[in-house]
Amino acid sequence: MHETAPCYAFYGHCRNEFAARTGGMLRKLTLLVLCMALFACAKQAPPPVVERNLPPVGFESPEFFVSNLVPSSQELTSWKDMGPSVRKSLRYVNSKPRDGIAVQRPGLTVTWGEMTRTLERLQELLPRLDSEPNLLLENFRWVEVTGGINYSGYYEPAVRASRTRKPGYTQAIYSVPPDLNSVIAKRGQYYDRRTIEEKQVLAGKGLELAWAADPVDVFFLEIQGSGRLIFDDGTQAYVNYAGQNGHKYKSSGRIMREKHLLQRGDIFEQREWFKNNPGRVREILNDNPSYVFFKYGTRGPMGAMGYQVDDWLTLATDRGFIPLGSIVAYGVNIPDETRGKLPLRGIGFAQDVGGAIKRNRIDIFCGGNDRANYVASHLDAKGPAWVLLLR
């Protein structure tokens, strides 16, 4: 639009001037010039972007996977955009003894040195992958995860909060209690969620980082492990995971299914139920004994390596099954608000862990926008995965 509008205005003005002075002959000449100029402007307009129609993800061969692998599926403009994520993984694996075993299980034994060489080769190939995606097949062994992966998602939640307790903001977000580690070392566990919330054993001890408007928001903040607080004065702050009370996590979805309250139990369905049943919120939440404490941070969500996680690139894995630092080719059909489902084939990096991430489960970090929230709240699907190792 901005490319062509000045052409119309300028040549329209010229046509009127010439017509007034010289009559029909120059009018025709001016119109000819106008047409040529508009044609030139039209040639400068960028071509329309045609989105590739990708087939659904299935249990497929690496060759088929790579033939349908595009960076835009991971919201990248080029495979070169993966560079910072590769460097994070390299820094982590380089901190390990090269001869040390990163993972040893049936079907996969890898040293840290092998992982270093694998990441270094990928880093070398990044400038060529846009035009030569088959380099992924030629340079790496694709070690399939037998039985596939159960995929879920996580995101960076935004929580409405206040710096002081006041009407409408009564749910405390706590920092780490000073006796947490000593109590866990002695007893194995700290106070459970029900005791903390119902008996208010931590209240008034100066541990409150902030007060939130909705206890459900804080509960899901704990599940995600980090997020942003949106304060009522218009300011914002990051909060990151700082500790946990030592109790085993029990998902609210499972709790609600066991009570026959929900069918699927995904986060979206849970939120709808909580909104419609405010009187039973505490009953459900307190059945999960696990409790997470936070600290203020200067950056977004941090992974288990100590680095900030990256949208659609960072994967949370069971480090005893797929070790931190691994390159993982992953595929799953993700929920989409307008199209129902979209195929996602990606190259990801095992850079995080989670209490509920065991063996054949991977959590994809989806980002911090509305789409990320939607995908992470709905994603519960199976798909293929391969660990890439240098040939």
Side-chain angles (χ1 to χ4, degrees):
M1 176 67 76
H2 296 294
E3 293 286 340
T4 57
C7 296
Y8 280 108
F10 175 74
Y11 285 102
H13 171 73
C14 292
R15 183 187 61 190
N16 293 338
E17 287 293 314
F18 275 105
R21 294 180 182 180
T22 61
M25 182 67 72
L26 287 180
R27 184 183 298 116
K28 293 178 182 178
L29 179 59
T30 305
L31 289 174
L32 178 61
V33 173
L34 171 64
C35 291
M36 293 173 64
L38 291 178
F39 177 72
C41 285
K43 285 176 67 177
Q44 295 170 12
V49 176
V50 179
E51 185 175 332
R52 184 175 170 188
N53 188 23
L54 299 171
V57 174
F59 285 89
E60 55 204 42
S61 69
E63 290 76 16
F64 185 85
F65 183 96
V66 170
S67 70
N68 291 285
L69 180 66
V70 293
S72 58
S73 291
Q74 292 173 265
E75 299 184 1
L76 304 172
T77 58
S78 164
W79 292 122
K80 290 183 288 187
D81 297 342
M82 292 197 306
S85 291
V86 176
R87 290 191 289 274
K88 290 174 188 176
S89 290
L90 261 176
R91 285 196 293 270
Y92 177 80
V93 300
N94 281 335
S95 70
K96 306 293 184 180
R98 294 181 73 87
D99 294 332
I101 300 297
V103 66
Q104 188 169 33
R105 62 171 175 80
L108 186 64
T109 299
V110 185
T111 66
W112 292 111
E114 288 178 271
M115 292 180 62
T116 293
R117 292 190 292 273
T118 300
L119 286 160
E120 287 174 343
R121 178 62 58 84
L122 179 61
Q123 189 174 44
E124 293 169 5
L125 295 177
L126 288 183
R128 299 171 57 189
L129 286 183
D130 290 344
S131 58
E132 301 175 81
N134 277 347
L135 290 172
L136 292 170
L137 298 170
E138 296 168 7
N139 284 267
F140 302 105
R141 291 187 292 123
W142 287 55
V143 182
E144 185 175 11
V145 177
T146 305
I149 290 290
N150 298 309
Y151 287 99
S152 51
Y154 66 120
Y155 68 105
E156 181 188 51
V159 176
R160 292 182 297 120
S162 170
R163 297 182 187 276
T164 58
R165 181 185 173 99
K166 63 169 106 173
Y169 296 91
T170 58
Q171 175 61 50
I173 300 173
Y174 287 116
S175 61
V176 175
D179 60 342
L180 176 70
N181 292 333
S182 61
V183 170
I184 290 179
K186 184 177 180 180
R187 303 178 189 169
Q189 295 173 329
Y190 198 67
Y191 297 116
D192 65 8
R193 178 180 300 277
R194 190 176 302 279
T195 303
I196 292 172
E197 293 293 0
E198 292 183 357
K199 297 186 178 180
Q200 291 290 293
V201 293
L202 300 180
K205 296 184 177 182
L207 300 173
E208 295 89 348
L209 292 175
W211 283 260
D214 187 348
V216 175
D217 284 347
V218 177
F219 185 82
F220 288 120
L221 175 67
E222 291 185 42
I223 293 174
Q224 303 305 318
S226 61
R228 283 178 298 128
L229 302 184
I230 312 298
F231 290 113
D232 55 341
D233 61 6
T235 60
Q236 298 186 25
Y238 288 114
V239 285
N240 300 129
Y241 174 95
Q244 193 259 359
N245 65 347
H247 287 265
K248 187 175 180 180
Y249 169 81
K250 185 176 183 180
S251 79
S252 50
R254 176 183 166 190
I255 293 166
M256 297 167 87
R257 287 193 301 272
E258 289 176 351
K259 293 177 180 286
H260 306 292
L261 301 175
L262 298 178
Q263 293 292 320
R264 303 186 311 276
D266 62 44
I267 293 176
F268 183 80
E269 191 181 26
Q270 289 180 51
R271 281 194 174 277
E272 286 296 304
W273 190 92
F274 285 131
K275 185 170 68 174
N276 295 327
N277 298 273
R280 298 188 67 184
V281 167
R282 290 291 182 195
E283 169 199 341
I284 304 302
L285 301 189
N286 289 348
D287 276 356
N288 171 27
S290 174
Y291 199 94
V292 171
F293 302 100
F294 292 93
K295 61 184 177 182
Y296 281 119
T298 57
R299 295 177 290 178
M302 305 294 288
M305 289 180 173
Y307 303 119
Q308 191 167 344
V309 296
D310 297 317
D311 305 6
W312 308 107
L313 290 167
T314 294
L315 307 176
T317 65
D318 179 345
R319 70 174 85 201
F321 192 73
I322 298 176
L324 290 176
S326 301
I327 304 171
V328 181
Y330 71 96
V332 65
N333 298 303
I334 62 172
D336 183 82
E337 281 192 273
T338 57
R339 304 185 193 185
K341 288 187 177 181
L342 284 177
L344 171 60
R345 292 176 179 85
I347 301 297
F349 303 90
Q351 296 179 334
D352 205 359
V353 297
I357 310 302
K358 303 297 182 186
R359 291 186 62 80
N360 289 61
R361 176 166 288 280
I362 284 178
D363 227 3
I364 305 167
F365 181 67
C366 304
N369 56 21
D370 290 341
R371 179 174 182 251
N373 187 340
Y374 184 86
V375 173
S377 298
H378 290 80
L379 179 57
D380 184 10
K382 207 169 178 77
W386 298 263
V387 175
L388 271 56
L389 297 169
L390 186 64
R391 287 190 180 278

